[in-house]
Amino acid sequence: MIHVEDLRRIIIEDINSIPKKTESESVALLNAIGRVLSEDIVSDINIPTSSVSAMDGYALHSSGQNFQENCEFVCIGESIAGKPFDGVLGSGECVRIMTGAVIPENTDCVVMQENVQREETENKITIKLMKTQPLGNNIRREGEEVSKGLAVLKAGHCISVTDIPLLASVGCGSVNVYKPLKIAVFSTGDELREAGEVLQKGQIYDSNRPTVKALLQSFPVIINDYGIIKDNPDEISRILEKAASENDIVVTSGGVSVGDYDFLKDCVSKLGNIVQYKVALKPGKPFVFGHLGKARYFGLPGNPLSTTISATLFLLPAIYQYFGVTLPKLSVKAKLGNEIKRRSGRTELQRGFVEKDANNDWVVYTQFSQDSHRIYQLSQANAFVYLPAEKAEFEKEEYVEIFPLNGKFL
């Protein structure tokens, strides 16, 4: 068996040997999340587009007058977002201004409304500064964040939700991204039925295919679902050939162990080649990575938890490598809320529940049953606890690495 990190390296190096995806398409901005930019995004405008106020207050013009405490200014108008002040300030004059409003051209300073004393008579509004104001205070200058012609995002950038404010602000209604990968997904097993069907004795619902498809939803892929395939070598081979000819990646679940009816490994060997079989991982030992023509093959275990872990560790990182993108895996350190004793020799991902303690430290508990068939406990967990292969015992309050589960944290 191969260690987890060695297998991850082999898969990434293998994917990197494939010519990178170059075909692109234009997609609407809100459909671009998770996609990879195929060209630089160059701003056609400055941000801010004009010099604007950073605060609600008063825009001041000095004309040689300083902004010392007790200085007085006469208010001659206002500037609000979308309706700039149409005029010129004279010496010792000011305008009422709101956050984001364009400042008059000869404004030297914006003073927060909390820092002035306002006096209003029938014919005049004046303000007195309650504290000294620095020159240029509270003014966001035109182009200080983004200047026209700047490449705000580079080709190869993976678009996330937090990129949308930037892209929308520079006027992008659509972006050019690489075309998605095509990924074939199917399950094997005579015992499997689709959710919603009536089960007969000895039958179970196929949970692996929905799991893989759910994991892939936010990735730059088109999922081609080939359904449930019976435990028949000829039919499995036929679907493998078809899927490999129509997709970049073929993903199966089940049928890669050593049982009498686990045919997938042999079928892949005959149609292509197996790069690696079995990994020192618990759960998830029966894993296959190989080639089917130009397609890459990921044979995931039949156990739902093992499928989730294997896809997360090996399949998902490989997808972005087709576009030359490497995204870091989010992990944090947490104290164990209980001791762990296990057999060493395999990397293990245990289900855990992590929360903050009274000292505001992260503490993770693994007091679920860690049997690999227990999917209810997976639903109850909010993190995986990463246990390295060489270590068997972990003490309570020892720090361990955890992988937060997507959707379980804000």
Side-chain angles (χ1 to χ4, degrees):
M1 289 189 293
I2 191 171
H3 287 294
V4 168
E5 292 307 317
D6 291 335
L7 177 55
R8 283 162 62 94
R9 185 176 63 254
I10 286 172
I11 293 173
I12 295 306
E13 288 176 354
D14 182 81
I15 300 299
N16 284 339
S17 70
I18 304 171
K20 296 294 181 287
K21 293 293 181 181
T22 57
E23 290 185 288
S24 66
E25 61 184 0
S26 177
V27 300
L29 184 59
L30 293 184
N31 295 330
I33 296 171
R35 303 292 294 273
V36 178
L37 285 173
S38 60
E39 63 182 28
D40 294 351
I41 301 293
V42 177
S43 178
D44 292 329
I45 61 173
N46 291 322
I47 299 178
T49 54
S50 301
S51 294
V52 298
S53 176
M55 295 289 176
D56 293 339
Y58 295 86
L60 312 178
H61 174 60
S62 68
S63 188
Q65 178 180 334
N66 61 26
F67 302 127
Q68 299 300 314
E69 184 177 348
N70 295 323
C71 286
E72 293 187 355
F73 294 83
V74 177
C75 186
I76 63 170
E78 68 175 9
S79 182
I80 62 176
K83 294 182 179 180
F85 172 75
D86 185 18
V88 178
L89 295 177
S91 177
E93 292 182 332
C94 70
V95 296
R96 182 81 168 101
I97 195 165
M98 302 302 169
T99 302
V102 175
I103 66 168
E105 288 185 11
N106 56 346
T107 294
D108 302 310
C109 169
V110 172
V111 58
M112 294 171 58
Q113 60 190 17
E114 295 89 342
N115 292 333
V116 305
Q117 183 179 72
R118 177 185 169 109
E119 293 184 5
E120 188 170 348
T121 63
E122 186 175 341
N123 298 319
K124 186 169 67 171
I125 298 173
T126 61
I127 64 167
K128 179 188 289 188
L129 302 185
M130 304 304 293
K131 60 169 63 176
T132 300
Q133 301 295 309
L135 190 69
N137 198 31
N138 297 320
I139 297 175
R140 295 179 57 219
R141 297 295 180 185
E142 178 181 352
E144 72 174 30
E145 183 173 6
V146 173
S147 58
K148 184 178 179 179
L150 177 69
V152 294
L153 294 176
K154 297 284 191 178
H157 179 83
C158 180
I159 300 173
S160 70
V161 171
T162 53
D163 293 316
I164 301 304
L166 172 63
L167 292 170
S169 293
V170 298
C172 289
S174 62
V175 292
N176 290 327
V177 295
Y178 292 115
K179 286 189 175 182
L181 297 181
K182 294 180 180 179
I183 297 188
V185 178
F186 67 88
S187 299
T188 62
D190 291 341
E191 77 281 12
L192 298 180
R193 293 295 180 271
E194 299 282 7
E197 295 182 0
V198 177
L199 293 181
Q200 304 299 323
K201 187 174 182 179
Q203 296 177 343
I204 61 173
Y205 290 120
D206 179 14
S207 60
N208 289 353
R209 219 165 83 257
T211 297
V212 172
K213 291 165 68 175
L215 287 168
L216 293 173
Q217 276 188 341
S218 61
F219 282 72
V221 301
I222 294 173
I223 302 170
N224 294 316
D225 188 346
Y226 293 78
I228 298 171
I229 311 302
K230 298 294 184 183
D231 285 324
N232 179 293
D234 293 336
E235 181 64 6
I236 290 172
S237 294
R238 185 183 73 81
I239 296 299
L240 281 173
E241 283 191 287
K242 178 177 173 61
S245 67
E246 297 173 345
N247 296 274
D248 300 290
I249 295 175
V250 178
V251 182
T252 68
S253 63
V256 295
S257 191
V258 292
D260 291 342
Y261 294 91
D262 292 323
F263 300 120
L264 265 168
K265 178 173 172 287
D266 288 340
C267 292
V268 172
S269 295
K270 292 175 182 177
L271 297 172
N273 70 288
I274 290 176
V275 175
Q276 181 61 47
Y277 174 53
K278 290 186 179 180
V279 57
L281 174 65
K282 181 180 180 182
K285 176 182 173 182
F287 172 87
V288 177
F289 175 68
H291 301 163
L292 287 170
K294 294 182 179 180
R296 267 36 181 185
Y297 172 74
F298 290 78
L300 307 180
N303 181 291
L305 175 60
S306 301
T307 289
T308 302
I309 290 174
S310 297
T312 300
L313 288 178
F314 306 121
L315 172 62
L316 300 185
I319 290 172
Y320 278 115
Q321 291 302 130
Y322 278 82
F323 306 101
V325 175
T326 300
L327 296 178
K329 177 69 178 173
L330 174 64
S331 69
V332 297
K333 293 288 187 179
K335 292 190 296 186
L336 277 173
N338 54 269
E339 66 176 13
I340 297 176
K341 293 183 178 181
R342 67 184 195 109
R343 292 179 61 184
S344 62
R346 284 198 283 170
T347 299
E348 185 172 354
L349 268 67
Q350 290 198 358
R351 287 148 289 183
F353 187 84
V354 62
E355 61 184 2
K356 287 288 187 74
D357 66 8
N359 297 319
N360 210 34
D361 293 325
W362 287 113
V363 180
V364 63
Y365 301 88
T366 64
Q367 293 162 321
F368 302 101
S369 168
Q370 296 297 332
D371 292 338
S372 60
H373 65 279
R374 293 186 179 270
I375 54 175
Y376 177 71
Q377 282 78 5
L378 175 60
S379 177
Q380 301 302 300
N382 64 4
F384 283 130
V385 180
Y386 183 88
L387 305 178
E390 63 275 6
K391 191 168 181 179
E393 296 187 5
F394 299 81
E395 300 297 326
K396 184 177 179 179
E397 298 195 344
E398 181 176 345
Y399 278 92
V400 292
E401 188 175 14
I402 63 168
F403 298 138
L405 291 177
N406 187 33
K408 299 297 179 92
F409 294 88
L410 287 177

